Amino acid sequence: MIELGPVTVTVDSPSTRILTWSQAVERRGAREETTPLMLSIDVTDEVLQGPPTPESSVDNRLIRLAYHGWRAELSPSERRAHATLSLAGDAERRGPRRLQSLLRVLAQTMLLPRGLGLHAAGLTKNGQGYAFIGPRGAGKTTLARAVPPASRLGDDYVIAAQNDAGHWRLHPTPFSGREGLAAEASAAPLRAIAVLRQATETRAIRLSPSEAAARLVPSVVHAGQDRASQEAALACIDALVHAVPVVELALTLGGPAIDAVEAAL
């Protein structure tokens, strides 16, 4: 099983390649409240072109998803999905990437309206979780590299989600960035989100909910372009920024990131 925060995906496929790639991203850790998803995947040698960003449409209770290299149909109520993944081109290199993008989009669709996938570095300290977002080069990987795996939730993709009690928690995922940094920390209460930018002096400023929402949107993993998905994502962002502090963090190389965030709360 593949653990994507509170979504647990079981993959079935007649393709040994798909099963092997799935096993490579399995992550076993302390499980909390999970939503199971049964995913069956067929493969094709045909090229599945575009779209350049994931697209979604809703037909009754079925959500149809499309992206470059795969197509999928998801039934959230039945917690089942079926996908077709292309093995055209350099399958050994592109196939695992296509599978990962499929898993991310399916997880994000299942998470709404109570959770979001974030392009972020996730760290833990004293049992609390901290998400660091920002554009490429802002310092997310540098921060993740500076802590041991046991304090690292991820260096590229983490999940923020509400549990049944309504509390926001930060979850690890099995997907790493280009450096492949290992992440061994378990989910933790989400203490704060920091918007990174490089600076010559370390300083943190707390943002208003409206400012925080605008800064958070670019880091949210795409959830689909149908109106229902977009409205659910915006509602989730609004709930998140009203419940969890968001700060702008100007950070020097090697600066005390978490301590600076705490000082602004």
Side-chain angles (χ1 to χ4, degrees):
M1 288 184 290
I2 301 170
E3 296 180 19
L4 300 174
V7 178
T8 303
V9 184
T10 300
V11 176
D12 182 35
S13 177
S15 168
T16 55
R17 281 178 168 179
I18 294 293
L19 297 178
T20 299
W21 296 335
S22 298
Q23 291 171 359
V25 293
E26 287 184 353
R27 185 185 191 277
R28 296 178 175 85
R31 294 184 184 176
E32 301 185 346
E33 305 158 358
T34 60
T35 299
L37 175 65
M38 298 295 299
L39 171 60
S40 61
I41 304 177
D42 291 327
V43 297
T44 179
D45 291 328
E46 297 180 4
V47 175
L48 298 178
Q49 295 285 1
T53 59
E55 291 184 353
S56 62
S57 61
V58 180
D59 181 8
N60 293 324
R61 297 181 180 180
L62 194 66
I63 301 175
R64 291 187 170 87
L65 301 161
Y67 190 40
H68 182 74
W70 57 261
R71 304 288 187 268
E73 293 183 345
L74 168 66
S75 174
S77 61
E78 297 181 359
R79 297 178 179 177
R80 291 183 176 274
H82 177 267
T84 300
L85 190 142
S86 173
L87 297 182
D90 186 354
E92 293 304 319
R93 181 173 64 88
R94 297 180 180 177
R97 294 179 184 176
R98 291 168 182 164
L99 176 61
Q100 289 190 22
S101 73
L102 168 64
L103 291 169
R104 292 188 192 206
V105 173
L106 286 172
Q108 178 62 86
T109 306
M110 290 288 294
L111 284 167
L112 290 173
R114 296 180 59 190
L116 295 166
L118 298 174
H119 289 296
L123 309 181
T124 62
K125 184 176 181 179
N126 298 329
Q128 301 292 309
Y130 301 80
F132 296 86
I133 65 174
R136 178 176 294 181
K140 298 187 294 296
T141 302
T142 301
L143 277 178
R145 192 191 303 120
V147 302
S151 298
R152 189 186 300 140
L153 290 161
D155 66 334
D156 179 67
Y157 176 55
V158 293
I159 288 173
Q162 286 180 297
N163 61 16
D164 286 345
H167 301 142
W168 287 89
R169 295 180 65 78
L170 192 63
H171 297 262
T173 72
F175 306 131
S176 60
R178 294 187 177 183
E179 294 194 15
L181 298 177
E184 298 177 0
S186 299
L190 179 52
R191 170 67 170 161
I193 299 172
V195 185
L196 285 173
R197 66 179 178 87
Q198 293 186 359
T200 57
E201 179 183 359
T202 295
R203 185 167 58 97
I205 302 174
R206 185 161 177 172
L207 301 175
S208 69
S210 59
E211 293 172 324
R215 304 293 292 275
L216 190 62
V217 167
S219 295
V220 173
V221 174
H222 190 84
Q225 295 184 343
D226 64 279
R227 183 174 179 177
S229 294
Q230 290 185 341
E231 289 179 348
L234 291 174
C236 193
I237 291 170
D238 183 68
L240 175 58
V241 298
H242 278 87
V244 176
V246 180
V247 305
E248 180 183 67
L249 177 60
L251 189 65
T252 59
L253 184 63
I258 293 178
D259 290 343
V261 170
E262 285 291 337
L265 301 183

